[in-house]
Amino acid sequence: MAPKRPADINRKIIADNRKARFNYEIEDTLEAGIELKGTEVKALREGKSMIAESYASQEGGEFWLINSYIPEYLQANRFNHEPRRKRKLLLHKREMAKLALAVHKDGKTIVPLKLYFNDKGRAKVELALARGKKLHDKRETERQRDWGREKARLLKTAG
């Protein structure tokens, strides 16, 4: 796990999305609560969840965390939760308006960076407004490399 930043001192980090920092340009971050049901809290306390492939989306005026993985709690098999269900994010109206405007107007993506328990023991998600990075086009360099090999092979067989 990455070394703790000064802001992470009072947090118990459960899941860190390092892939998001590689794939996106992070512009702004904010903290949101997450609505958990049943055994999800106990499963989170074990610290085996993943948010690497998750994202946040707006549906019906509310924001949801989609595709986050919180495993089933083995000791409560009858009352277990669905591991990949969508979970409601708890935000203030002003924060929701800010996120909705950034998504619709600027075309940004809402990406979860960290899932943690704060110093009061509440589950929180650090969200980021992000823009996708432009990846380097490798086709030209691959053509150059392949032509160099082919040329060397042709010169070798001709001479």
Side-chain angles (χ1 to χ4, degrees):
M1 191 174 255
K4 286 196 172 193
R5 297 183 188 147
D8 295 339
I9 291 174
N10 293 331
R11 300 176 179 176
K12 181 186 173 203
I13 297 175
I14 299 161
D16 194 7
N17 189 358
R18 287 181 270 160
K19 186 192 258 187
R21 295 188 189 278
F22 181 77
N23 291 336
Y24 296 97
E25 290 179 30
I26 308 298
E27 295 182 7
D28 192 17
T29 62
L30 63 111
E31 181 181 75
I34 183 169
E35 185 179 77
L36 301 172
K37 295 182 179 177
T39 58
E40 290 176 336
V41 176
K42 291 181 181 181
L44 278 179
R45 293 221 187 269
E46 289 182 350
K48 297 178 183 173
S49 64
M50 291 186 300
I51 58 169
E53 298 170 356
S54 63
Y55 61 96
S57 176
Q58 182 182 15
E59 294 177 15
E62 296 176 337
F63 282 89
W64 298 85
L65 185 64
I66 299 172
N67 205 22
S68 60
Y69 178 75
I70 298 176
E72 294 178 337
Y73 186 65
L74 296 176
Q75 287 81 359
N77 60 1
R78 191 171 129 212
F79 301 105
N80 261 331
H81 58 275
E82 187 68 29
R84 288 205 182 266
R85 75 173 183 89
K86 63 181 188 178
R87 293 164 176 92
K88 185 177 176 181
L89 293 174
L90 307 173
L91 295 161
H92 295 287
K93 287 183 182 179
R94 187 176 293 166
E95 292 172 333
M96 285 194 283
K98 176 183 173 183
L99 289 175
L101 182 67
V103 169
H104 294 297
K105 184 180 174 189
D106 300 333
K108 294 182 183 174
T109 306
I110 305 169
V111 182
L113 297 177
K114 292 180 185 175
L115 179 62
Y116 59 91
F117 285 109
N118 65 2
D119 56 347
K120 294 180 181 178
R122 295 190 177 108
K124 300 283 184 174
V125 179
E126 184 179 353
L127 298 173
L129 280 172
R131 187 180 311 271
K133 287 184 181 177
K134 292 185 179 179
L135 300 175
H136 177 66
D137 189 10
K138 295 182 182 177
R139 290 179 289 192
E140 185 62 33
T141 57
E142 288 175 0
R143 275 192 224 125
Q144 298 259 339
R145 184 190 65 213
D146 292 344
W147 170 240
R149 288 180 184 165
E150 188 67 28
K151 187 168 82 172
R153 192 176 303 127
L154 289 172
L155 289 174
K156 192 176 193 181
T157 57

